[in-house]
């Protein structure tokens, strides 16, 4: 199957999950539970949306591997692996904040981040430019001065990690135009690829949070780096124009 066909599967999976999530969002979410901490939430909507994705992949790509946030890993035989986050931004979703997304990636081949509320679909196939609703993304011009950059980030759920992340933000804030914390890593990366943010970094993200978004950013010509663990912070990710990546990395990794 070509990368274009894999992208079609990713699009269909994301849209199927998005339809479930949007219906529940408008009706009011229920069945909320906690995961790693009292602030790390999961709802029936997360679980149902991931099952919709898994059912579609079982029908159309039954021999591929699957890694998902809410379900068990599935081993495959084709060498292809799907990495899915059925609802990235669960806290926003449950509080009625319209900043959440569906992330579906066939690792190294195709990726989609869907914003169901705005009906925006960010997509990319290997070797092709990323698109928004089928139109190639055109970043307005990569910024080359950190002092004028709008930088997005996010925070972990565990209090000690959040304290360490807060120290990074305090160090970074005086050196940039401003910082945004919207609450969906996948959508943050998609917006960075589209030029709505100049750069993005975050410690503590999971594979499913960033698998699709990092492919969008790389396809848009941004430098994508893995951030090391240290100083109370878990590993993370950074996406920025090449002219800003090293300077930003030095600040957020220090």
């Amino acid at each position: 199957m070509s990368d274009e066909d894999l992208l079609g599967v990713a699009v269909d999976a994301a849209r199927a999950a998005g339809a479930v999530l949007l219906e529940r969002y408008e009706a009011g979410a229920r069945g909320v539970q906690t995961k790693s901490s009292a602030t790390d939430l999961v709802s029936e909507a997360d679980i149902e949306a991931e099952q919709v994705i898994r059912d579609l992949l079982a029908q159309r790509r039954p021999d591929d591997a699957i890694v998902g946030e809410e379900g068990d890993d599935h081993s495959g035989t084709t060498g292809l692996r799907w990495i899915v986050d059925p609802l990235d931004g669960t806290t926003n979703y449950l509080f009625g904040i319209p900043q959440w997304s569906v992330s579906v990636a066939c690792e190294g081949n195709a990726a989609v981040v869907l914003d169901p509320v705005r009906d925006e679909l960010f997509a990319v196939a290997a070797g092709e430019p990323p698109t928004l609703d089928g139109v190639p993304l055109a970043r307005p011009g990569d910024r080359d001065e950190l002092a004028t950059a709008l930088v997005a980030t996010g925070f972990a759920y565990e209090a000690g990690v959040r304290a360490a992340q807060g120290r990074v933000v305090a160090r970074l804030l005086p050196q940039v135009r401003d910082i945004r914390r919207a609450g969906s890593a996948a959508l943050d990366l998609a917006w960075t690829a589209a030029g709505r943010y100049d750069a993005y970094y975050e410690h503590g993200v999971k594979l499913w949070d960033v698998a699709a978004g990092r492919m969008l950013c790389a396809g848009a010509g941004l430098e994508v780096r893995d951030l090391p663990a240290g100083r109370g912070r878990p590993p993370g990710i950074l996406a920025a124009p090449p002219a800003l990546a090293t300077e930003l990395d030095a600040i957020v990794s220090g």
Side-chain angles (χ1 to χ4, degrees):
M1 181 176 280
S2 69
D3 289 344
E4 182 178 358
D5 294 329
L6 291 170
L7 183 58
V9 173
V11 169
D12 291 347
R15 288 206 178 278
V20 168
L21 292 169
L22 196 57
E23 181 179 1
R24 283 185 171 271
Y25 181 73
E26 292 171 346
R30 56 189 173 86
V32 180
Q33 305 172 38
T34 59
K35 295 194 292 184
S36 64
S37 74
T39 56
D40 186 5
L41 305 177
V42 62
S43 70
E44 289 181 359
D46 295 72
I47 297 167
E48 184 178 348
E50 181 160 322
Q51 191 58 53
V52 166
I53 294 172
R54 287 176 178 269
D55 289 346
L56 186 145
L57 292 177
Q59 180 182 17
R60 298 185 44 191
R61 301 293 307 174
D63 299 320
D64 294 348
I66 304 174
V67 175
E69 180 175 10
E70 309 303 343
D72 295 333
D73 294 352
H74 170 71
S75 299
T77 60
T78 63
L80 297 178
R81 183 170 72 155
W82 294 86
I83 304 170
V84 302
D85 190 343
L87 174 51
D88 187 57
T90 299
T91 300
N92 283 349
Y93 182 86
L94 295 174
F95 277 75
I97 300 169
Q99 188 77 0
W100 47 272
S101 62
V102 182
S103 176
V104 179
C106 181
E107 196 170 29
N109 294 280
V112 166
V113 174
L114 173 67
D115 178 347
V117 175
R118 298 172 183 82
D119 193 25
E120 289 188 330
L121 183 95
F122 301 86
V124 64
E128 300 294 329
T131 62
L132 170 55
D133 296 332
V135 178
L137 290 178
R139 286 179 58 85
D142 284 334
R143 200 167 303 280
D144 57 8
E145 293 184 0
L146 192 61
T148 58
L150 184 63
V151 180
T153 191
F155 303 112
Y157 293 107
E158 197 273 314
V161 176
R162 292 168 71 88
Q165 291 172 320
R167 291 189 287 272
V168 173
V169 170
R171 186 165 61 245
L172 177 63
L173 184 57
Q175 303 187 58
V176 297
R177 180 190 301 272
D178 209 344
I179 291 175
R180 294 289 181 267
R181 191 275 201 264
S184 168
L187 207 50
D188 283 345
L189 283 162
W191 282 21
T192 303
R196 296 176 185 177
Y197 300 133
D198 293 308
Y200 163 81
Y201 80 93
E202 185 171 350
H203 290 90
V205 289
K206 305 298 185 183
L207 176 64
W208 46 76
D209 297 323
V210 301
R214 73 183 301 150
M215 192 171 173
L216 287 165
C217 286
L222 298 174
E223 189 167 332
V224 181
R225 298 185 179 187
D226 293 317
L227 299 175
R231 304 190 183 213
R233 304 183 301 263
I237 188 174
L238 178 151
L244 298 183
T246 297
E247 185 179 3
L248 181 61
D249 191 344
I251 296 170
V252 303
S253 297

